C-alpha cells in the first residue's frame, strides 16, 4: 500500500517509465526460490506494474543475478524492461531468443568478467555482438550489467565508452 501511494505521486512526473528494484536473484537463481517468489512477490508486483501502466508509463525493474525462472511471470504481469542482464548469471543471447519478442532487456556487457578482465578489443567485440544480436528487431538497451568495478583498468573503462559511442556511429580518433 505504501508503494502504491508513492506511485500515485511518482507517475505524475514527466517521465516515460518507472524503474523498481527487486534483486531477487543471485548467480544461481531466485534467492527465495521461484515458488515463494510467485506466492509473495509476483502478486504485489502485478499491482505496482498495473498502477504504472494505468498512468501510461513503462515498467522497468532492476534485478541482477539469475532471474530467468521468473521471466515468463514478469512478462505475464506486465514488465516492459528487465534491467540488469548479467551474463555471468544468465545468457543474454538465450534470453533474447526465448523472450525477446515480449520484453526489453537492458545490460548484457559483463561487469564481473569482460569489463574488468577482458582486453579492450574483447570489450569492443562483445559490444558489437550485443548490438547485432540483442539489438536485432529492437527490445534492447545496451549497457554494462552493473556499474564499472574498482578493479577495472582505465583502458578497459575507456574501451567501454568508445565501444558504446562506436555503436552509435561516432568515430573515435
Amino acid at each position: 500500500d505504501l508503494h502504491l501511494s508513492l506511485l500515485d505521486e511518482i507517475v505524475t512526473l514527466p517521465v516515460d517509465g518507472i524503474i523498481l528494484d527487486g534483486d531477487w536473484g543471485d548467480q544461481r537463481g531466485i534467492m527465495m526460490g521461484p515458488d515463494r517468489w510467485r506466492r509473495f512477490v509476483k502478486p504485489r508486483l502485478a499491482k505496482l506494474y498495473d498502477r504504472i501502466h494505468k498512468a501510461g508509463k513503462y515498467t522497468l525493474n532492476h534485478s541482477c543475478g539469475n532471474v530467468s525462472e521468473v521471466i515468463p511471470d514478469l512478462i505475464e504481469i506486465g514488465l516492459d524492461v528487465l534491467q540488469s542482464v548479467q551474463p555471468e548469471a544468465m545468457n543474454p543471447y538465450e534470453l533474447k531468443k526465448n523472450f525477446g519478442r515480449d520484453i526489453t532487456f537492458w545490460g548484457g556487457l559483463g561487469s564481473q568478467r569482460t569489463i574488468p578482465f577482458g582486453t579492450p578489443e574483447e570489450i569492443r567485440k562483445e559490444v558489437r555482438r550485443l548490438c547485432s544480436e540483442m539489438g536485432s528487431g529492437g527490445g534492447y538497451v545496451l549497457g554494462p550489467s552493473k556499474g564499472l568495478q574498482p578493479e577495472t583498468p582505465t583502458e578497459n573503462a575507456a574501451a567501454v565508452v568508445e565501444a558504446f559511442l562506436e555503436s552509435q556511429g561516432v568515430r573515435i580518433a
Side-chain angles (χ1 to χ4, degrees):
D1 289 337
L2 173 63
H3 285 125
L4 288 170
S5 66
L6 290 171
L7 275 179
D8 286 337
E9 297 300 318
I10 293 169
V11 297
T12 66
L13 297 172
V15 297
D16 295 325
I18 310 294
I19 188 166
L20 305 175
D21 193 353
D23 272 346
W24 317 296
D26 63 18
Q27 303 292 80
R28 299 160 297 176
I30 303 299
M31 288 184 274
M32 65 173 52
D35 293 336
R36 283 187 196 92
W37 184 91
R38 288 181 182 107
R39 181 174 171 204
F40 295 109
V41 177
K42 182 180 176 179
R44 288 154 180 84
L45 272 181
K47 289 179 183 179
L48 297 174
Y49 293 169
D50 185 58
R51 185 72 51 99
I52 293 167
H53 282 145
K54 282 183 177 169
K57 313 284 185 184
Y58 291 105
T59 57
L60 301 89
N61 216 125
H62 168 85
S63 190
C64 53
N66 185 344
V67 297
S68 59
E69 285 183 279
V70 298
I71 289 175
D73 299 274
L74 292 166
I75 292 167
E76 175 191 325
I77 61 174
L79 181 62
D80 296 308
V81 181
L82 176 63
Q83 189 278 337
S84 149
V85 175
Q86 192 176 353
E88 297 85 2
M90 301 184 293
N91 182 322
Y93 304 104
E94 286 296 314
L95 294 178
K96 177 71 173 184
K97 183 177 105 181
N98 294 329
F99 307 110
R101 69 191 167 281
D102 299 315
I103 193 168
T104 294
F105 293 108
W106 176 351
L109 184 59
S111 297
Q112 293 174 322
R113 291 188 195 137
T114 304
I115 296 173
F117 303 115
T119 66
E121 185 49 41
E122 289 169 333
I123 293 167
R124 287 183 180 89
K125 182 179 176 185
E126 186 60 15
V127 168
R128 287 191 297 272
R129 182 177 179 207
L130 286 165
C131 289
S132 172
E133 293 183 36
M134 295 293 290
S136 178
Y140 178 61
V141 178
L142 175 63
S145 58
K146 294 179 172 280
L148 300 186
Q149 302 301 304
E151 63 271 10
T152 301
T154 302
E155 58 272 13
N156 287 16
V160 169
V161 173
E162 291 168 358
F164 281 25
L165 290 171
E166 289 167 2
S167 77
Q168 297 302 303
V170 177
R171 296 206 26 97
I172 308 297

